[in-house]
Amino acid sequence: MSLNHCLALAAAVFVTGMAGFVVRRNAIVMLMCIELMLSAVNIVFAAFSRHHGDAGGHVFVLMNFAVAAAEAAIGLAILVEIYRRRRTVDVDELKSLME
Amino acid sequence: MLRWIVLLPLLGAAINGLLNRRLPRPAVGAIACGAVGLSFVLSVVAFLRLVSMPADARLLTDIVAPWLGYGPLHVDLGFALDPLSGVMALIVTGVGLLIHIYSLGYMSHDKGFQRFFTYLNLFIFAMMTLVLGENLLMLFVGWEGVGLCSYLLISFWFNEEANAIAGKKAFVVNRIGDFGFLIGTFLLGVTLLPHLGAGEGLFSFRTMQHHAAALAPAATAIALLLFVGATGKSAQIPLYIWLPDAMAGPTPVSALIHAATMVTAGVYMIARMNFLYVLSPTAMHVVTVVGAATAIVAATIAMTQNDIKKVLAYSTVSQLGYMVMACGLGAFAAGIFHVMTHAFFKALLFLGSGSVIHAMSGEQDMRVMGGLAKKLPITFWTFLAGTFAIAGVFPLAGFFSKDEILWKAFSSDGGGITLWAVAFLVAGLTAFYMMRLVVLTFHGENRASHEVRHHIHESPLSMTLPLVVLAVLSVVGGWIGWPAFLGGANHFEHWLAPVFAGGGHEVAAAATHGGEALAHGVAAAHGAAEAHGGGHVALERGLAAASLAWGLLGLTLGFIVYSRRTKVADAVRGLAGGWPYRVLLNKYYVDEAYQGAFIRPGFRLSKTVLWKGVDAGVIDGLLVNGSALVVAVIGSLLRLLQNGLVRFYAWSFTVGVAVFFVYLSLKG
């Protein structure tokens, strides 16, 4: 399994996540899509780290996990709160900051 | 020391102006008079020091600080005193002091007392800057300063709209003149700059005089442009129209600024720049003709005016014409001599008229005056002295200076019998209208209302004292210039000779009239009639006798016509259907002509093109509202992007990233 295979997989995962984020209107699904994109990045980090024999990439992967977990926690908390007030998690309905 | 002569009045103005109403009136008066008085004392001290120096080395300078310095251009902030500015300094501070004292009485009931003395001191400061300035730029600073003070003082009683308009008129008309002056100054600087030696101040009078030859190519243009400034300040044709209106100001102002000092600034400037003017016969000729024309036009108008101050105002314009004419003839010393004697008797006449107006409860129309001689004896006798002085009665001050100018008009290169005849006619007219003024004011029955008549009283001592001093000066002030043909030595001309020495020779060199004219030119240069032959002395005596007789005739005629005014005056007035009288009464319709030729078209231009076109169209429409519109359009376009839809933003990122990648791959 060469570096290119890994990169292709990462690209596929990233585009899936990006497409989901753009297309879906459910905020929870969009959060999951963000996780997908972060995972794609993690794959790239790990692949390059392995390829160059440098442990630095792995450190970034761990960092990403931590950030993603924190973000998911906060994002979900916000969404729950929004749902309780507005009874919806459709992002097209949630634009009150603009007005 | 010179700087203190200039700065003391400024100090006085600063104290009075800043503390204004917090100071009691006596303190204000004491500070104002004290400042000018000290300035006068210092002027006398400086003058005496000048006298003690050898004739060729009479120059005191006081350089305060460097002012401008860019490469070869270098101008100092400094003052200089030479025989010419010495004379002017004494006139300005001396007459100024007398008028300050007079104002203590005249303005005592005015609620703007403090403001008045602040302005008056400020004026003395500006005038002394003009007179003592070491270079042309300093002179210009003072020149603008006196213009400002004149404006402030003409519209002193600013609640009257007419006064505000008169002040504005003076300001605008002077601005037109100053524009010419400034261009002339620039042209002079540009012409002179390449010829400058190391460390020489560009506009310093000494430098300019030293390099006068370098100015020759542009001399005519520079001289004429500077003269435009002089026509404004010294009220010559065509810019004389502001001076009669300036009478809206308090009478001491008329005496100080509009008779004795500021209006002579143009004459002083021409005399100061004599080395330049003599380079250009053309410019000299223009100056002469303008001066002579002004003298006669103003004198004829003065004959018909009914406002006592207007008569004196037109008389001033006429006398200024004399002075300018003298300068144009190269007789700078005679011009300055007339500046001095005129300062004495015209200040006296104005102050006398102020005393009359004071007694008449503010009335200025001579038609309702009359019979004041007995009630105002001091005013009457001093006024009479002034009248005889201006009419050129021997041996009063006016005789000597006026006769000097008449003689120069007759004998100089630029002069001749025609010019002499004009000047001679003006002299007779002057005597006539002055006597008319005296008769209408002081003679016969009083024509005022009963109430006004009841209040008539002689003015207080603070007003009569300056009158007496000025009357004495009007009588004896001319003796310093007692001419050679009457057995004198004309000290005045000798005194000024070093200042004008270079000039006379140039005139002689520039003259193309042959040997005899050359001889006159040289004689003028040495400033003495002793170079003239015996025949000249007889001729000079004859002309002097003629002008004296002519002046007396004018006075007598004026007395006869106006003391029996109903018959003779009406008969004269009825001449040729009365239209010459109407033309004169309406001042040749000059103001109306200006109104039609410049002011109304100016208004129309402003209204249609400048207001509706440029201001409303371009500035308001295009620039102000246009720029706002552009911002508004851009803003509403940008607002479309701020829709708050997360997915739209995400799309934007995606597309942006995609475009960026495409760009990178194409480039790579």
Side-chain angles (χ1 to χ4, degrees), chain B residues 146-197:
Chain B
V146 293
L148 169 70
C149 293
S150 169
Y151 164 77
L152 291 173
L153 284 163
I154 292 169
S155 15
F156 180 75
W157 290 309
F158 52 81
N159 286 333
E160 297 289 323
E161 198 186 357
N163 296 3
I165 290 174
K168 197 167 64 182
K169 185 173 179 182
F171 199 74
V172 170
V173 171
N174 266 296
R175 222 46 344 93
I176 297 169
D178 295 345
F179 182 64
F181 190 102
L182 211 51
I183 299 202
T185 306
F186 292 155
L187 185 57
L188 195 156
V190 170
T191 315
L192 198 59
L193 200 54
H195 300 275
L196 230 49

Side-chain angles (χ1 to χ4, degrees), chain A residues 18 21-24 92 98, chain B residues 642-644 647 650-651 654:
Chain A
M18 193 171 75
F21 188 87
V22 168
V23 172
R24 299 298 296 266
D92 284 2
M98 188 196 94
Chain B
Q642 301 278 331
N643 56 9
R647 296 183 317 126
W651 258 116
T654 314

Side-chain angles (χ1 to χ4, degrees), chain B residues 53-421:
Chain B
M53 297 163 109
D56 292 336
R58 280 182 182 140
L59 180 72
L60 294 173
T61 49
D62 182 3
I63 303 300
V64 180
W67 182 9
L68 303 175
Y70 304 105
L73 197 164
H74 143 76
V75 180
D76 282 329
L77 194 68
F79 305 101
L81 190 82
D82 69 349
L84 174 59
S85 48
V87 169
M88 291 298 287
L90 288 184
I91 297 173
V92 173
T93 53
V95 176
L97 176 62
L98 289 173
I99 291 171
H100 270 73
I101 294 171
Y102 178 93
S103 306
L104 291 177
Y106 192 84
M107 301 300 286
S108 60
H109 303 302
D110 200 283
K111 65 181 192 301
F113 188 82
Q114 288 91 338
R115 189 163 56 94
F116 182 79
F117 278 98
T118 306
Y119 290 166
L120 222 49
N121 267 6
L122 197 64
F123 170 78
I124 298 282
F125 159 69
M127 189 68 198
M128 292 311 289
T129 309
L130 193 163
V131 168
L132 292 183
E134 183 264 347
N135 53 59
L136 195 60
L137 287 191
M138 289 287 289
L139 186 149
F140 188 70
V141 169
W143 185 275
E144 291 300 307
V146 293
L148 169 70
C149 293
S150 169
Y151 164 77
L152 291 173
L153 284 163
I154 292 169
S155 15
F156 180 75
W157 290 309
F158 52 81
N159 286 333
E160 297 289 323
E161 198 186 357
N163 296 3
I165 290 174
K168 197 167 64 182
K169 185 173 179 182
F171 199 74
V172 170
V173 171
N174 266 296
R175 222 46 344 93
I176 297 169
D178 295 345
F179 182 64
F181 190 102
L182 211 51
I183 299 202
T185 306
F186 292 155
L187 185 57
L188 195 156
V190 170
T191 315
L192 198 59
L193 200 54
H195 300 275
L196 230 49
E200 285 182 317
L202 175 58
F203 289 109
S204 162
F205 292 118
R206 261 182 305 163
T207 312
M208 290 192 289
Q209 191 152 15
H210 186 236
H211 293 289
L215 291 172
T220 305
I222 298 171
L224 286 177
L225 283 167
L226 293 181
F227 183 60
V228 171
T231 57
K233 199 108 308 184
S234 287
Q236 300 295 298
I237 288 174
L239 298 181
Y240 70 90
I241 46 163
W242 66 271
L243 185 56
D245 287 32
M247 297 303 127
T251 306
V253 172
S254 310
L256 177 63
I257 300 183
H258 304 125
T261 57
M262 176 185 102
V263 289
T264 61
V267 182
Y268 170 74
M269 188 273 294
I270 298 173
R272 177 51 75 207
M273 301 295 289
N274 65 83
F275 52 86
L276 171 76
Y277 276 87
V278 295
L279 291 174
S280 165
T282 319
M284 291 290 266
H285 194 63
V286 171
V287 173
T288 311
V289 171
V290 169
T294 305
I296 188 132
V297 164
T300 49
I301 296 174
M303 290 200 303
T304 57
Q305 297 303 305
N306 290 318
D307 183 322
I308 184 168
K309 282 176 75 182
K310 285 265 165 86
V311 176
L312 293 175
Y314 279 106
S315 166
T316 303
V317 175
S318 168
Q319 298 298 312
L320 289 168
Y322 262 138
M323 300 169 202
V324 168
M325 185 179 81
C327 289
L329 292 166
F332 301 107
I336 296 296
F337 190 25
H338 201 56
V339 165
M340 185 181 84
T341 58
H342 180 258
F344 298 152
F345 55 68
K346 189 51 71 61
L348 167 63
L349 291 171
F350 264 118
L351 295 186
S353 78
S355 180
V356 168
I357 294 166
H358 199 68
M360 294 290 293
S361 313
E363 182 58 60
Q364 301 197 9
D365 194 329
M366 293 189 294
R367 285 171 295 191
V368 296
M369 293 182 184
L372 295 176
K374 282 188 214 96
K375 296 194 171 138
L376 311 174
I378 302 176
T379 306
F380 171 65
W381 287 108
T382 51
F383 201 93
L384 205 61
T387 304
F388 283 165
I390 195 175
V393 173
F394 181 84
L396 276 65
F399 170 79
F400 298 101
S401 55
K402 185 183 285 185
D403 216 55
E404 185 77 14
I405 294 175
L406 284 176
W407 170 245
K408 289 284 155 52
F410 186 80
S411 63
S412 297
D413 306 331
I417 188 89
T418 321
L419 195 65
W420 176 82

